[in-house]
Amino acid sequence: MSKVGCRLTCPSFSPCGRRCRMRGETLWIRCFINAAYRAALILSLLSGARIEDGPSLSCPFTTLERLLFMDFELKFTPELEGFRKKVQDWLKANIPDGMENPADPVDLTLEGYNKQRALGRKMAELGWLYPTYPKEYGGGGLSDDEAIIIETELDRYDQLLPPYYDSGGKLAAATIMVWGTDEQKRAFLPPILTGKVRSWQLLTEPDAGSDLANVKTTAIRDGDHYVVNGQKIFVGSAHGAEWSWMIANTSPNGKRHENLSWFVLPMDLPGVTWTHMDLIFAGNESGALSGYKNTVYLENVRIPAFNLVGGENNGWKVAGTHLELEHGLMQGSLNGDRTLQKVFKVCRDLKREGRHLLEHDDVREELADLYIDSELTRLLHLRNYWMRSAKKPMTYEGPQAYLHMKRAALRTSKSLHKILGPYALTLDKERGLEDGHIEVQQRGGIVAQHPGGTVEIQKVIIARRLGIGRAVKEQAGVLR
């Protein structure tokens, strides 16, 4: 991160002449943020407080200079800009024709899914599929800065990293790096990191969601295997998975939090079956959208004991790593909210009472609030990205960003309904908007309150990390 030279400053002013360089409807919002930020800095100086450096460890600007011009955006060194050009050229040459990006991921065809997997394997050959993991396990051995460049450039093609749903793989790989043995790392990481397998995560059950420690699925040791029985819900995606990353109860009569374990589960084992769930939407998991959620049934499934990761009945500690990432540290795009850009376009095109929507004061007010929400979400993720890159201690920051993102999604749904009325709710070919993306946001905003821990769970975590109601502040999970 020290090479990036990014600055915790405001986007509204250029270094020379302090002239606003933003245009359009976002101008006054950025000026407002800029003014507020300056006021905070000035008050800090007047109070004698020391103003810490921004995200860059090698920030070249003094406090006074940062009072005069502020730019929150990432700035990369010439070497990293050269890497960006390499990524841009490669993606331009290798993104398959007809890459699908349906508004509702449930419409992703098998052909489209296979193109996603093929792109993932090609990226893995360069170490770009899981860029920051060690090369010896199939990763790229790249820096966080290089990884964020790959992710942001892929986002310009409406693709995420990995370019297919691999929620289980992302969380399992990170957890195995912390808790797996060397032999397990050599066995499990290369297939995930090179795109040979994709994985679902098996956590939630009918009686265990927000209360994950209450899982009833059992995994009982029987010689060199564990025998698994139970049911998991809200699992995975369309088009199946080769593996799953699963938490199970390995001591049904044991003490709460001391009776859980994690396993790598091959999905082709006898006794594993699944069916689609009927939901209004499946997605919003900070990864390629899933399309479907499934109920997975496990009946006398025999898992090799080797697939137990982190030790028997040690699963609640292992879960700390998994959940720390899932609760807000798998950041979304740092390029901004693409749906909001579509909304601005619609408001420029549609008319009400003879005038474009954008000309109405009430619409502009709603859009301004949406933009502020969007920028706050992006900047919170940007802050978290910097903190992780700079190895800064983290406590509530991930859940804070995730909580804001969830709430902002619901506020966006309500605002779009106010602005667009029934147009926001239809997929009609003539009256539907932006190929269905607006209608999908209406459903997605509601569903966003659930995955990766509900709004209430994020609040509980934040409170515990701040020490509210507790004598000792809760510590964050262990990350690699």
Side-chain angles (χ1 to χ4, degrees), residues 9 30 209 217 285 359 437 453:
T9 52
R30 287 177 178 263
T217 294
E285 296 171 87
E359 298 176 50
H437 284 275

Side-chain angles (χ1 to χ4, degrees), residues 171 175 178-179 212 247 262 314-327 329 465 474-479:
L171 293 164
T175 310
V178 175
W179 298 95
L212 184 61
I247 189 169
W262 288 86
N314 197 41
W316 196 244
K317 293 180 181 177
V318 178
T321 300
H322 176 111
L323 298 176
E324 194 65 33
L325 291 167
E326 191 176 24
H327 292 160
L329 291 185
R465 300 286 170 85
E474 181 184 84
Q475 298 298 307
V478 179
L479 300 176

Side-chain angles (χ1 to χ4, degrees), residues 103-124:
D104 190 335
V106 77
D107 296 324
L108 177 70
T109 67
L110 179 59
E111 180 183 4
Y113 167 65
N114 288 333
K115 285 183 179 179
Q116 291 179 343
R117 294 292 300 272
L119 175 62
R121 288 190 289 270
K122 291 183 73 171
M123 294 181 68

